[in-house]
Amino acid sequence: MVLAKTKSLIAASAALALSVLSTQHATADSISDIQSAGSMKVGMLVDFPPVGFMNSDNEPDGYDADISAMLGEKLGVDVEIVPVTGPNRIPYLLSGQVDLLISSLAITPDRAKKVDFSEPYAAVRIGIFGPTDLDISDADDLPGHVIGVTRASGQDATLTKIAPEGTNIRRFDDDVSAVQALLSGQVEAIGVSNIGMKQIHQIAPGKFNEKFEMNRFILALGVHPDDDAMMDYVNTFLGEIKASGQLEATYQKWFEESLPDFSGVVTK
């Protein structure tokens, strides 16, 4: 009886060890598996210019596409861009439909429960934006002014939180309507992302500028929580292109501003 129990325990221990080794082996081989296959699937938003969008040739383009291409070059593999949406990008990663997310993914506590984040590689800033001669420099200057925002957006939530009493917040159903309200003079300024600011500069160069920053969302690559090898690899990659100046040059190409300082950003 004792011998039988001992054999059973040994068998169970061996099975457990084999299972652990198998998991470690799968994690350790994720990069070599991609290199052996010769291709990598990257999930990317394609409706958020200039970070990610479809160009006139109906091909994925933008900042995220450039980062994906650089990563593919380092790995020595082809990159297949898989278009994703905000709601489905994390499920695509967790289900294995993509190997990695380079998809304008902001670091948030809720998302950190599902995926691991790489070191930061970009930021989306939300600020108050208005005519160059409008004298507003911080939230204390907002009372008495009419400020437009997109309803239920990040800028709406942030402005509602920081605006003192007496600020006239006018809400619009979408970004386009808010921008049109600014251009037509229906509002004195709007809460908008730096991406939206860039687009307004293209429409009306020299007429508007950012008054102050309200909030900032730090973006990182999304990695499967069990894939330590991928995390190590992409963090090394990001460190290399940052040190070489490639990341700065690519950021300036698409955002027309310098790469933000990510010192002190916590990704877990």
Side-chain angles (χ1 to χ4, degrees):
M1 177 69 75
V2 173
L3 181 60
K5 286 184 177 180
T6 301
K7 287 182 177 179
S8 178
L9 285 171
I10 291 173
S13 297
L16 177 60
L18 183 61
S19 174
V20 170
L21 286 172
S22 176
T23 301
Q24 291 176 340
H25 181 74
T27 300
D29 279 357
S30 60
I31 295 298
S32 59
D33 286 347
I34 288 170
Q35 291 175 321
S36 296
S39 66
M40 179 182 193
K41 293 183 178 180
V42 174
M44 188 179 110
L45 290 183
V46 292
D47 60 354
F48 190 47
V51 189
F53 62 96
M54 300 299 286
N55 63 23
S56 58
D57 295 325
N58 201 34
E59 296 176 344
D61 205 347
Y63 181 71
D64 280 350
D66 280 359
I67 300 299
S68 300
M70 283 188 275
L71 178 58
E73 183 177 355
K74 177 176 172 59
L75 280 163
V77 301
D78 295 328
V79 173
E80 178 186 346
I81 299 295
V82 178
V84 295
T85 64
N88 75 19
R89 55 188 164 178
I90 289 178
Y92 266 47
L93 176 68
L94 297 180
S95 64
Q97 295 181 70
V98 297
D99 299 305
L100 180 70
L101 292 177
I102 307 181
S103 62
S104 314
L105 192 66
I107 300 170
T108 69
D110 285 343
R111 288 172 180 164
K113 297 174 183 176
K114 302 175 184 177
V115 302
D116 286 346
F117 291 107
S118 72
E119 293 299 313
Y121 78 114
V124 174
R125 194 176 65 254
I126 292 176
I128 296 297
F129 187 79
T132 54
D133 60 354
L134 181 63
D135 187 17
I136 291 176
S137 60
D138 57 36
D140 291 339
D141 295 329
L142 293 176
H145 293 287
V146 182
I147 312 297
V149 291
T150 302
R151 191 186 315 277
S153 64
Q155 54 265 35
D156 185 0
T158 303
L159 180 61
T160 301
K161 182 178 180 179
I162 69 168
E165 185 177 352
T167 305
N168 186 346
I169 301 175
R170 190 167 298 176
R171 295 173 174 84
F172 298 89
D173 290 335
D174 51 49
D175 290 341
V176 173
S177 298
V179 171
Q180 288 177 342
L182 174 66
L183 296 175
S184 64
Q186 296 177 54
V187 296
E188 295 174 83
I190 60 173
V192 66
S193 72
N194 58 315
I195 293 171
M197 294 177 200
K198 181 177 182 291
Q199 295 170 337
I200 296 170
H201 279 309
Q202 293 173 342
I203 297 170
K207 294 185 177 181
F208 302 94
N209 63 8
E210 183 179 2
K211 302 305 175 181
F212 66 91
E213 181 178 307
M214 292 194 294
N215 202 352
R216 179 174 296 199
F217 298 103
I218 306 300
L219 308 185
L221 279 56
V223 180
H224 194 289
D226 295 329
D227 200 344
D228 295 337
M230 179 67 75
M231 177 62 74
D232 291 343
Y233 196 92
V234 298
N235 278 338
T236 297
F237 159 73
L238 290 171
E240 289 174 352
I241 62 173
K242 186 174 183 179
S244 70
Q246 283 181 286
L247 190 60
E248 173 70 27
T250 306
Y251 198 85
Q252 289 199 26
K253 170 186 173 183
W254 292 107
F255 292 92
E256 297 183 354
E257 61 185 45
S258 295
L259 189 70
D261 180 5
F262 298 122
S263 300
V265 173
V266 177
T267 61
K268 292 184 180 181

